[in-house]
Amino acid sequence: MKRAKEGTGNLKSETSVQGDGIRTSDFWSLLSDFCSVRCPLRLGALGVLVFGLLAASAAVWSTSGYDGFVSEKSELKNLSVSPDGIVTLAPRLTELASLDDAVVWSLAEGSGRLYAGTGHDGRVYLLEKGSKPRELFSSEGIEVLCLTTDRKGNAYFATTPGGDIYRIAPGSGPKKLCSTEADYVFALLPGPAGELYCATGQHGKLYRITATGRAQEIFSAAQSHLTSLAWLVEGKELLVGTSPDGIIYRLRLPVADPQSPIPNSSVSVLYDTPLDEIRALEVRSSRSRVENPLVLLAANPGENQDSSSPVVFCCDTAGILRWQWECPESTVLDILPFAHLHSASLLVSTGSNGRLFTLDSLGRASLLQKTEALRITSLAQGADRIWLGTASTAKVYSLDRQLASDGTLVSESYDCAGPAQFGRLFFRAEVPAGSSLSFDTRSGNSEQPDSTWSDWQPAADNLRSPRGRFIQWRARFSSTFPTATARLEQVDLSFRIPNRPPLAKKLEVPVVSPDDAREGKPSPVRNITWEVQDPDSDSLSCELQYSDASSNRWRTLAKDLSGSGRELDTRTLPDGWCRFRLIVSDRLSVPPGEAATAEIVSRPVLIDNTPPRISGLSLSSGTLAFTASDETSTIAACRYSVNSGTWQSLAPADAIFDSSAESFRVSLSLPPGENTVSVWAADACGNTTVSAVSLR
Amino acid sequence: MRTPTLYASRFRPRALPLPLAVRSASLVRVCGLLLAVCGFLFGAVPTIPSDSIRPGMKGYGLSVFTGYKVDKFDVEVIDVMRNVFATGDLILARLSGQGLEQFGVIAGMSGSPVYLEGRLAGAVSYGWRFSKEPIAGITPINMMLDVWNAPSGKPGSGMEKRASASPAGLTPLLVPLALSGYTPALAELVRPTLSEFGFLPVAAAGTAPDADLAQADTMLVPGAAVGVALVDGDVRLSGIGTLTWREGQRILAFGHPMLQAGSVELPMIAGRIHTVMPSYESSFKLFSPSRPVGTITEDRLAAIGGTIGPVPTTIPVSVKLASPAVNRDYNYSVARHPALAGELAAIGLAEVLLCSEGMYEEMTLFSEMKLRVEDTTTVTVRHCFAGPGPAVDLYRRSAQELSAVFGNRFREVSVTDITFNLRFTAGRSRMRLVSCRPDRSVARPGEIVTLSLTTKDDAGTSSTEVRQVRIPASAPAGRLTVVVTSRDSLNQREEFGAPGKSNPKSLTGLWRLLESSGRENELVIAGYISATGLTVVDRELPAPPPTLRRLIEATSEGELVQRTGQSKLFEESFLLDRVVLGTCELTLEVRR
C-alpha cells in the first residue's frame, strides 16, 4: 500500500451518466483538482489498486483491468468483461426451461427442435418456446450424457450406463436403435451417410452404427474412455478425445468397408495434452481454402493433478500448438465455436461459478456471461442463438445476439483498514446514446455485507454511505437499444481514515558479553537498534533518549532518526546503570496536529568505561597478594605474569568473581634473582588495568 | 338398543315383546336362535350395545363343532372392559357347553355370534393361550358393523403382520389354516411365517364334497364356518373362522382382523368341520375347505367382511418339476395380497417340493423362477443348490425374492403369473475353490492371462482346471485385483464395495438385482482396479472420468450417489453344473 501526503480537494464528477454521445468521466482532471501531485498510474496492468493522495489517511481504491472487475468476490450479472478490462452489457440470457432434474448433460437442435438430455433420472425433453418441456424418455439412475441431431432432423441419444442408443425421428418418440452395452456413452456424431459414431467407456471403444441399427466396434483405444468426437474431414477423418491420458487420436476411416475396424496404420496421435481428460473437442473450419482448420480442445486435470488448472488448447492439423488458455475456474465443461456474438471464436463454459467465456483467435479470454446456476454443462448451436444447459439447477437458457437491457456489477467488499470517511467515486467509461451507467455505494464494518451495512445509496457528489471500514460499489448498466452499451474501464473511490499511531516494536542495546569482558575487550561504542512500523505506511522519525537508572530524567541523545539503528559512544555517558527510550512519530506524513507517537524503553543497561584498580600489591616470600576493585561493575578476570612471561589466570580468594572488589593471594615459585610480577584485571565491561611489583 | 344406521330405514328392527324376553330365558334363547338363523334373510336383528351389558348376564353363542351343523354354547358375561380399543370395548365372558370346558376357547371360533337377552351382542374373537378356563373376549357387534362403514381403499394396500398380544396376554384367536399335503416337515418350515400373520397351520383332509359346496350359499348363516382361501389348486391353504352376521349376500366374521389389511380381495370359502382337536396351547377346528364362494373385501380391526358370490382373481403359479423320482407339473393359485402373495407362492412351492422329494436326500437342484409382471416384464431368477434338502434352501430364497417383489416399496405390482422350472439331479454337485494361480504376475493390456484353478469336491478330491481371461486393452497401469468366485458370492462382495448397487431405488433396479442374484453355479472371474467409482441410484459407474464424477457428486442429493473404492474393469463368467463355493483373490500388476 502506497500513500502520498496531504490534502483533500473539491471534486466535480458525474457518477451517473445518460449517454448522449461518448462521454468520459475524466478522472485524471478531477484528480488533479483533488491532489497536488498526480499519481503515476498506468492503465491496463491494473487490478485493484489503492494509492495515496498526499495525505497519510486519504486514499483511492481503484478498480480496473480484467482481474479487477472479475474476481472471486465481485458479482456480475448480464455483463461482459473483455481481456483488457472493458465492462459492457452481455448478450441477452433468457431462461427457456427449468427442469425437474439434477443436471442438463446434453443439448442439440435439429430441424428447429431443441432436445435436452439430463441426469440422474435419464430424461430426454423436447423443448419448444412457449410450451412446457415435453418428456420423451425417462429412466431412473441413467445419465443422458450425449445428444446429437443429423441433417434429416433425427435426434439421437444414448444412455449411461447401459450404452443403449435411441433415435427420435421427427414427429415421433424415441426408439431404441441398438445397444453397445457400454458403461458410458460420451459422444455421438452423425456421419454423412446416415451412420452414427459412438464414443464409449470404460473400454475405450468406438462404434459405427448404421442407419438400421447395426453397431460395429471399429476402434479400440488403449484408454479407458473416449470422451469426445469431432470430424476433421467429414466422413473421412475423425478426431477422438480420451481419458485418462488426455490424448487426441486422429482416425482415417476405411473407404472400402466403413464398417470394418480401422487399421492401426490409419490411427495417429494428433496431440497429447499434459492433462488427464479431454472434456470437449471441436474443429473450427477455416473460412478460406488456404487456411487449415483448427482443433480446439478443452482438458481437465485428473485425480492426481490437483495443482493443475483446466486448459483450452488450440492446435492445427499437424498437431502444432497455436495457443492455450489456462482457465481460472475449477473445470471446463464444454466448448463451442461460434460466429454470432462479438468477434470471439470459441465459447467456453465452466463450472463452480457458472461463467461463460469467449476466447478470441489469439486465445485471449473475455467473460461473456454468467448464469445463476453454478455449472454450465452443455452448449449447443441454435439457428440464431446459443443454447446453454446447466447443473445444480437444471435449466436451459438461450444466449441471443442482442444485448441484455440491463446489468450490474457489484464490486468486492473493500477493506479500508479503519473507519473510513468516503469521498467521491470516479469512473472512466464511454456511454453511447441509448445507454446509461450509474453507481451506488454501501458501507459497513463487517467484511461480508449484512443487515448492519447501510443501504445502497446513489453515488452523488459526495458519497452518502456512512463511515465504515468496508465499502462496496455497484455499477448499473442499462440500455434502450439492443446494441448499445456503456463501456466501463475504471472505477476509483476515494476515502480517508483517521491517522493510526505508529508501532515501536523493539529497542535493543547490546551489552559486553562475559567472554569479551574476561578477555578485556570493552565495547565503548554500542550499536543501538530498533524496529518500528506504521499501519498507514507513514514515514517515521525517531528520537533516542537516555536516563540514568536513578533519576528518570530523560535526555535526548539524537533526533530525527529515520533508520533502524544508531551507534552510540558510551564514553560520552557517565558510568552506571541507565535506560534508553525511543520515541517514534509519524509527523512527517500527517498534517500538523494529527501526528501520533509511540515509544519503547530498553532494559537497564550498564555503562562502565572506567578500568578497575589494583591495590595492596605485594610480593614477599614467594607470595603475591593484591586486591582488584571497580567502582561500577564486578571484577570479571585477573591474571599475572612473571618476568613478562605467559599470563596466568588467577582465582579470587573466595573462588568466585562476583564482587566489585576481589582479593588475591597466590604462592609463586620464583627463580633466583630479581623478579618482576605483573598483575592484570578486567571488569564486567571489559575495562582492564595492569600493575607490577619487583622483588630482588 | 342400537340399530345399525346402514339399514335402519329399510330394516328397522322390531323390538322383542318385553314380557316374552323376561318371562322365559329358554324361550328367549329359542327366539334368538330363530332370529340368528333367519336374520340374514330379513337383514335385521336386534343388537345390544356394550354399555348395556352387565356382569352376570347370560346368553348363548353359535358355532359349528362338527360337520355343518350350527350348535349353541352358553355364555355368561364376566365383565365389560371399557375402551380396550380406541373404537370400543371388549366383553369378557365365560363359555360353556359343547365341550368348551375341556377344549377352552377353540381356534376357529373367531366370529361365533353371541346373543344376550335375545339380542346380538358380538362375536367371540379373543382368548388367552394356555388358559385354564374357556374365557373369551367378545368384540361388540356395533364395532363389527362399523366395518361396513369404513372408507373403502384400494384392495391390497395394507401390509400388516398380526399385532402382538393385547393387555394381559389377550390375543386374537388363531385362525386355523388348513394346509394340504401337511407333513411335520412342511409345517415346521412354514409355521414361523404363518404364525407371524396369526395363522395356525393344521392338516386338511381335502376339499369339502361338491354336494356341500352347492349348499354353501344357504349354509353360510351366523355360526357357520367361513374363511379365506389363500392358496387353491394342487396346493391348498385356507383359513377358517365363524360367520357372525349376514345381511343379504354381505357377511361379517372373525370379530378380529386377519391381517388388518383394510380393503382386500381374497377368495371366501365355507368349510366342513371334522372335529375339534383338543390342545393345551390352543384347541382348534380340523376342517376341509370348500371351493371359493365369494370375496372377502374388508380386513379390519373388528372383523373381516365379504360378499357371497363372485370370486376374485388369483395369481397362477406353475411348477414344472423334473427329478429322478418324479416328472410332473403342478398348478396352483395364490391370493393377490402384497403381504402374503410371495409367502404363499413359496409355501406352495415348498409343499410341492417336500411332497415330491426326500427331505434329506443328497440332491442338486437347478431352479429357474420366472415372474411375468403386468404382461410386459419377465423377471428370471436362477439358483443352484446342492446338499441335503436343497428344497428348503430354494423355499427360503424364493420366499425372500417373492416377498421383495410383492412387498416392494415403489408401487404395487400386478404379477401375471409365476413359473418355476425345477430340475433335481442325484448327488451333491459342489466344488470348492482352493487356489488360483496366474501364469504371470505382470500383464499388459490386451494380453491373455491363464489361471490355474484348484478345486475340491465334497469327497476331498482335488482337480485343476484352467481358465483364461483377457486383460482389456483399456486397462490402466497399476494394480489389478482378480476375484474368482461364484456369482452369488460376487454379488455379496460387491454389496460391500458398492452398497448403492444392492439397494434398488426403482422397480427396474429391483428386477435387475433379482436377475443378478443367485446363480450359485456360475463361476465368475472379475477384475477390479483401484479407481474411484460411483453408484448412481442403483447403477454402477466404474472409474468415471474425473469431471463426470465431480459433476455427478456435486449435483446429487441424499443417498442417490455413493462412492465406491474399486471399479470393475472386466468380468467373465462360466456356467457350470455344480455349485461353486469359496473365493480366490489374486493381484496382477498391469504395465502399459
Side-chain angles (χ1 to χ4, degrees):
Chain A
M1 189 183 294
K2 179 183 175 185
R3 288 176 186 274
K5 294 186 178 180
E6 186 178 329
T8 58
N10 186 18
L11 303 182
K12 292 176 182 176
S13 173
E14 291 183 349
T15 49
S16 177
V17 176
Q18 295 292 330
D20 55 357
I22 297 177
R23 295 180 58 180
T24 302
S25 162
D26 192 343
F27 170 75
W28 293 110
S29 61
L30 295 165
L31 189 64
S32 64
D33 290 341
F34 184 68
C35 313
S36 58
V37 174
R38 177 173 291 186
C39 295
L41 190 66
R42 288 183 181 174
L43 287 179
L46 291 174
V48 175
L49 257 179
V50 174
F51 52 95
L53 296 175
L54 291 182
S57 51
V60 169
W61 166 34
S62 180
T63 308
S64 63
Y66 181 91
D67 293 337
F69 291 119
V70 182
S71 69
E72 282 292 321
K73 294 180 178 176
S74 61
E75 295 176 24
L76 293 97
K77 184 178 180 186
N78 285 332
L79 293 177
S80 297
V81 184
S82 69
D84 47 3
I86 307 296
V87 185
T88 59
L89 281 170
R92 188 172 62 191
L93 190 68
T94 309
E95 182 182 316
L96 179 70
S98 179
L99 305 174
D100 186 21
D101 293 272
V103 52
V104 178
W105 288 122
S106 47
L107 291 169
E109 183 184 302
S111 301
R113 292 159 168 261
L114 177 65
Y115 299 92
T118 70
H120 310 298
D121 286 331
R123 296 193 179 97
V124 175
Y125 296 94
L126 175 62
L127 303 173
E128 292 166 310
K129 195 174 181 182
S131 58
K132 285 185 176 177
R134 189 147 65 90
E135 185 179 310
L136 304 177
F137 177 84
S138 173
S139 181
E140 198 171 6
I142 290 292
E143 318 292 332
V144 180
L145 298 179
C146 52
L147 252 170
T148 191
T149 54
D150 65 13
R151 288 172 182 148
K152 293 178 181 176
N154 295 311
Y156 301 88
F157 69 90
T159 60
T160 292
D164 295 338
I165 314 294
Y166 290 82
R167 176 165 57 199
I168 308 172
S172 68
K175 287 186 180 169
K176 189 170 171 181
L177 188 62
C178 65
S179 178
T180 62
E181 297 185 353
D183 292 313
Y184 303 89
V185 178
F186 294 107
L188 294 171
L189 183 68
E195 81 279 24
L196 191 67
Y197 293 86
C198 172
T200 69
Q202 68 165 344
H203 294 298
K205 291 179 178 174
L206 176 69
Y207 293 88
R208 185 182 190 274
I209 301 166
T210 64
T212 57
R214 194 164 69 88
Q216 175 67 44
E217 178 189 326
I218 60 170
F219 172 64
S220 176
Q223 297 280 306
S224 297
H225 305 295
L226 304 187
T227 55
S228 43
L229 287 174
W231 284 117
L232 185 58
V233 180
E234 188 174 15
K236 294 179 180 174
E237 289 193 55
L238 198 56
L239 297 180
V240 184
T242 67
S243 174
D245 288 344
I247 290 173
I248 301 291
Y249 287 103
R250 181 176 183 168
L251 312 179
R252 275 192 293 277
L253 302 180
V255 179
D257 180 8
Q259 201 73 353
S260 63
I262 299 171
N264 285 340
S265 59
S266 297
V267 178
S268 59
V269 172
L270 179 75
Y271 191 70
D272 185 358
T273 71
L275 299 177
D276 280 1
E277 178 194 357
I278 304 296
R279 173 68 187 172
L281 173 63
E282 293 284 351
V283 174
R284 196 182 67 189
S285 304
S286 61
R287 291 179 182 170
S288 67
R289 291 186 178 179
V290 180
E291 194 180 351
N292 282 327
L294 291 173
V295 179
L296 301 152
L297 52 128
N300 283 323
E303 307 287 355
N304 301 316
Q305 295 182 313
D306 287 343
S307 58
S308 302
S309 298
V311 177
V312 175
F313 298 92
C314 174
C315 64
D316 60 22
T317 54
I320 298 170
L321 185 68
R322 294 287 185 88
W323 52 258
Q324 68 180 52
W325 173 65
E326 200 167 294
C327 177
E329 306 293 315
S330 64
T331 319
V332 173
L333 295 176
D334 205 359
I335 58 174
L336 180 71
F338 74 104
H340 291 298
L341 307 165
H342 290 218
S343 59
S345 61
L346 186 70
L347 276 177
V348 182
S349 72
T350 64
S352 72
N353 291 304
R355 287 174 176 163
L356 183 67
F357 294 90
T358 59
L359 300 182
D360 64 13
S361 57
L362 297 176
R364 294 178 303 180
S366 301
L367 175 68
L368 186 65
Q369 250 297 7
K370 182 181 178 304
T371 61
E372 288 180 3
L374 299 179
R375 298 168 185 86
I376 305 174
T377 40
S378 53
L379 299 170
Q381 177 76 62
D384 58 350
R385 63 195 64 211
I386 305 291
W387 300 110
L388 281 68
T390 64
S392 300
T393 50
K395 293 184 176 180
V396 178
Y397 295 93
S398 72
L399 197 65
D400 301 340
R401 290 184 180 187
Q402 297 182 345
L403 297 177
S405 59
D406 54 61
T408 54
L409 166 55
V410 179
S411 74
E412 63 177 323
S413 162
Y414 180 73
D415 185 359
C416 301
Q421 173 190 348
F422 302 106
R424 293 193 172 187
L425 183 143
F426 313 96
F427 63 90
R428 176 179 286 186
E430 292 177 9
V431 186
S435 66
S436 68
L437 177 60
S438 62
F439 285 85
D440 309 296
T441 60
R442 63 176 176 177
S443 59
N445 287 311
S446 58
E447 185 174 6
Q448 294 297 325
D450 57 19
S451 60
T452 64
W453 276 52
S454 67
D455 292 333
W456 287 108
Q457 300 279 352
D461 280 352
N462 281 305
L463 296 182
R464 281 180 282 179
S465 295
R467 188 184 288 265
R469 179 179 157 184
F470 297 90
I471 185 148
Q472 245 185 339
W473 53 259
R474 178 174 69 184
R476 287 186 290 172
F477 292 66
S478 63
S479 175
T480 52
F481 295 112
T483 55
T485 174
R487 293 166 54 81
L488 175 65
E489 285 184 52
Q490 181 168 329
V491 179
D492 298 292
L493 190 148
S494 64
F495 62 92
R496 186 172 184 276
I497 58 172
N499 182 40
R500 288 173 292 178
L503 299 172
K505 303 178 80 172
K506 192 188 292 181
L507 175 62
E508 288 186 345
V509 181
V511 297
V512 179
S513 70
D515 288 344
D516 285 349
R518 284 192 291 272
E519 290 299 318
K521 295 178 181 175
S523 298
V525 179
R526 309 272 179 97
N527 188 19
I528 300 176
T529 58
W530 55 80
E531 186 179 328
V532 294
Q533 67 181 52
D534 189 87
D536 299 327
S537 298
D538 292 334
S539 296
L540 300 175
S541 70
C542 300
E543 181 177 338
L544 185 63
Q545 296 179 333
Y546 157 86
S547 168
D548 62 49
S550 57
S551 70
N552 278 338
R553 286 204 305 267
W554 293 100
R555 186 160 60 88
T556 298
L557 294 174
K559 295 173 70 173
D560 298 331
L561 302 173
S562 57
S564 59
R566 181 182 173 84
E567 285 191 342
L568 177 69
D569 188 344
T570 59
R571 287 170 295 199
T572 62
L573 303 176
D575 285 357
W577 287 95
C578 68
R579 288 180 297 171
F580 294 88
R581 179 167 76 173
L582 187 76
I583 299 174
V584 58
S585 167
D586 60 2
R587 61 187 170 78
L588 299 175
S589 298
V590 300
E594 294 187 16
T597 60
E599 65 177 45
I600 185 170
V601 177
S602 73
R603 292 178 298 166
V605 178
L606 180 64
I607 302 294
D608 180 6
N609 290 304
T610 305
R613 284 186 297 113
I614 294 173
S615 58
L617 179 63
S618 65
L619 180 65
S620 62
S621 304
T623 299
L624 177 67
F626 65 92
T627 299
S629 60
D630 192 89
E631 291 292 326
T632 311
S633 55
T634 57
I635 299 300
C638 201
R639 301 170 190 165
Y640 74 93
S641 168
V642 177
N643 298 329
S644 302
T646 306
W647 287 103
Q648 299 288 324
S649 294
L650 275 175
D654 59 2
I656 300 173
F657 285 105
D658 56 359
S659 305
S660 58
E662 297 285 359
S663 297
F664 299 88
R665 188 176 191 86
V666 59
S667 295
L668 304 175
S669 58
L670 298 172
E674 182 176 351
N675 293 291
T676 300
V677 177
S678 302
V679 177
W680 175 94
D683 64 16
C685 289
N687 302 301
T688 59
T689 188
V690 177
S691 194
V693 62
S694 295
L695 179 65
R696 187 181 293 272
Chain B
M1 183 175 66
R2 179 182 179 276
T3 303
T5 53
L6 256 182
Y7 45 93
S9 57
R10 288 180 60 197
F11 305 107
R12 184 170 296 278
R14 288 167 292 181
L16 284 173
L18 185 61
L20 183 65
V22 176
R23 251 182 295 163
S24 168
S26 59
L27 186 57
V28 168
R29 287 180 182 176
V30 171
C31 292
L33 183 57
L34 281 171
L35 276 170
V37 173
C38 304
F40 73 95
L41 298 174
F42 304 105
V45 69
T47 61
I48 179 168
S50 58
D51 52 10
S52 300
I53 297 173
R54 299 284 177 266
M57 289 177 76
K58 292 185 178 177
Y60 63 91
L62 300 175
S63 199
V64 176
F65 297 94
T66 179
Y68 297 105
K69 181 170 174 284
V70 176
D71 285 317
K72 198 173 63 171
F73 55 90
D74 295 322
V75 177
E76 180 182 353
V77 175
I78 299 171
D79 204 350
V80 178
M81 298 167 70
R82 304 290 176 192
N83 300 317
V84 169
F85 307 104
T87 53
D89 308 328
L90 188 71
I91 305 159
L92 282 180
R94 182 176 284 103
L95 313 183
S96 58
Q98 301 296 342
L100 289 170
E101 296 85 347
Q102 176 195 351
F103 299 136
V105 184
I106 301 165
M109 285 181 72
S110 295
S112 297
V114 171
Y115 301 85
L116 297 172
E117 296 182 347
R119 293 180 289 175
L120 181 57
V124 173
S125 52
Y126 290 83
W128 286 262
R129 290 190 183 181
F130 305 105
S131 174
K132 291 183 176 178
E133 289 190 63
I135 295 175
I138 295 169
T139 302
I141 187 62
N142 52 336
M143 280 178 63
M144 296 179 67
L145 289 167
D146 282 345
V147 167
W148 280 335
N149 295 330
S152 61
K154 188 181 175 187
S157 56
M159 296 171 63
E160 287 286 329
K161 292 184 178 179
R162 177 63 72 89
S164 58
S166 300
L170 180 72
T171 56
L173 295 179
L174 293 174
V175 177
L177 203 62
L179 181 60
S180 62
Y182 184 97
T183 63
L186 178 61
E188 195 63 32
L189 196 60
V190 302
R191 185 190 298 274
T193 301
L194 296 175
S195 297
E196 286 183 357
F197 293 101
F199 295 126
L200 178 66
V202 298
T207 308
D210 288 345
D212 298 336
L213 176 64
Q215 299 165 10
D217 182 30
T218 54
M219 289 189 305
L220 285 174
V221 297
V226 70
V228 181
L230 298 174
V231 182
D232 198 14
D234 291 341
V235 177
R236 290 178 305 283
L237 191 65
S238 308
I240 202 78
T242 303
L243 194 150
T244 308
W245 171 243
R246 176 172 173 180
E247 177 193 315
Q249 296 299 94
R250 295 199 299 177
I251 63 127
L252 289 173
F254 281 25
H256 60 67
M258 189 172 71
L259 301 170
Q260 206 170 334
S263 296
V264 294
E265 281 185 0
L266 302 172
M268 181 200 298
I269 52 153
R272 174 184 171 83
I273 307 298
H274 299 290
T275 187
V276 174
M277 293 299 294
S279 166
Y280 286 111
E281 181 185 0
S282 177
S283 299
F284 59 89
K285 293 181 179 180
L286 197 60
F287 74 101
S288 291
S290 73
R291 294 294 181 196
V293 295
T295 304
I296 298 296
T297 57
E298 302 292 338
D299 178 13
R300 301 192 183 274
L301 178 68
I304 65 168
T307 306
I308 300 165
V311 296
T313 61
T314 50
I315 302 168
V317 182
S318 168
V319 182
K320 300 177 188 305
L321 180 63
S323 78
V326 67
N327 207 342
R328 191 187 148 179
D329 291 356
Y330 297 86
N331 294 290
Y332 56 93
S333 63
V334 297
R336 289 189 183 277
H337 189 280
L340 280 175
E343 298 281 0
L344 297 175
I347 288 170
L349 176 68
E351 183 180 327
V352 167
L353 292 170
L354 294 185
C355 291
S356 306
E357 304 300 325
M359 186 71 181
Y360 301 107
E361 274 183 285
E362 293 282 354
M363 304 283 275
T364 302
L365 168 58
F366 300 87
S367 85
E368 179 189 79
M369 177 177 71
K370 284 190 175 179
L371 285 100
R372 276 202 306 143
V373 181
E374 292 159 2
D375 292 327
T376 55
T377 305
T378 300
V379 183
T380 305
V381 187
R382 293 185 177 88
H383 283 291
C384 179
F385 298 107
V392 174
D393 294 331
L394 179 62
Y395 158 71
R396 293 200 169 116
R397 286 295 292 263
S398 300
Q400 288 174 1
E401 288 154 359
L402 288 166
S403 295
V405 172
F406 286 100
N408 80 81
R409 61 190 168 95
F410 310 111
R411 66 178 172 84
E412 191 180 332
V413 292
S414 174
V415 173
T416 310
D417 56 43
I418 304 169
T419 304
F420 290 95
N421 282 303
L422 310 178
R423 180 168 61 88
F424 282 91
T425 58
R428 183 193 299 195
S429 298
R430 299 200 298 196
M431 73 171 202
R432 179 172 297 278
L433 289 164
V434 177
S435 68
C436 174
R437 284 194 307 278
D439 64 345
R440 69 198 73 188
S441 57
V442 176
R444 297 190 184 279
E447 283 184 349
I448 291 175
V449 175
T450 302
L451 303 175
S452 297
L453 304 180
T454 304
T455 63
K456 279 187 179 177
D457 61 17
D458 277 6
T461 309
S462 292
S463 60
T464 300
E465 54 184 287
V466 170
R467 301 284 177 184
Q468 290 187 321
V469 290
R470 183 185 291 276
I471 306 300
S474 61
R479 200 173 71 167
L480 177 70
T481 303
V482 178
V483 177
V484 184
T485 188
S486 70
R487 168 70 61 192
D488 196 43
S489 299
L490 192 75
N491 289 341
Q492 291 174 26
R493 186 182 190 278
E494 290 189 346
E495 275 184 31
F496 292 102
K501 196 176 170 185
S502 57
N503 184 14
K505 308 289 191 305
S506 67
L507 270 185
T508 314
L510 177 61
W511 303 152
R512 208 166 31 239
L513 182 67
L514 284 172
E515 293 212 315
S516 68
S517 67
R519 290 147 75 176
E520 293 82 358
N521 57 328
E522 192 176 315
L523 178 72
V524 187
I525 302 174
Y528 296 86
I529 53 175
S530 302
T532 303
L534 296 174
T535 52
V536 180
V537 186
D538 48 18
R539 304 290 296 267
E540 186 173 3
L541 292 178
T547 307
L548 181 64
R549 181 183 66 72
R550 292 183 198 124
L551 279 172
I552 289 176
E553 288 187 320
T555 57
S556 62
E557 296 171 355
E559 298 176 350
L560 288 178
V561 173
Q562 291 179 312
R563 274 195 189 194
T564 62
Q566 289 187 323
S567 292
K568 192 190 285 181
L569 182 67
F570 67 85
E571 179 187 295
E572 292 198 26
S573 61
F574 309 90
L575 198 63
L576 308 179
D577 58 357
R578 292 159 288 167
V579 170
V580 179
L581 299 173
T583 298
C584 290
E585 194 170 309
L586 57 95
T587 303
L588 297 175
E589 186 185 342
V590 176
R591 288 189 189 157
R592 297 184 68 90

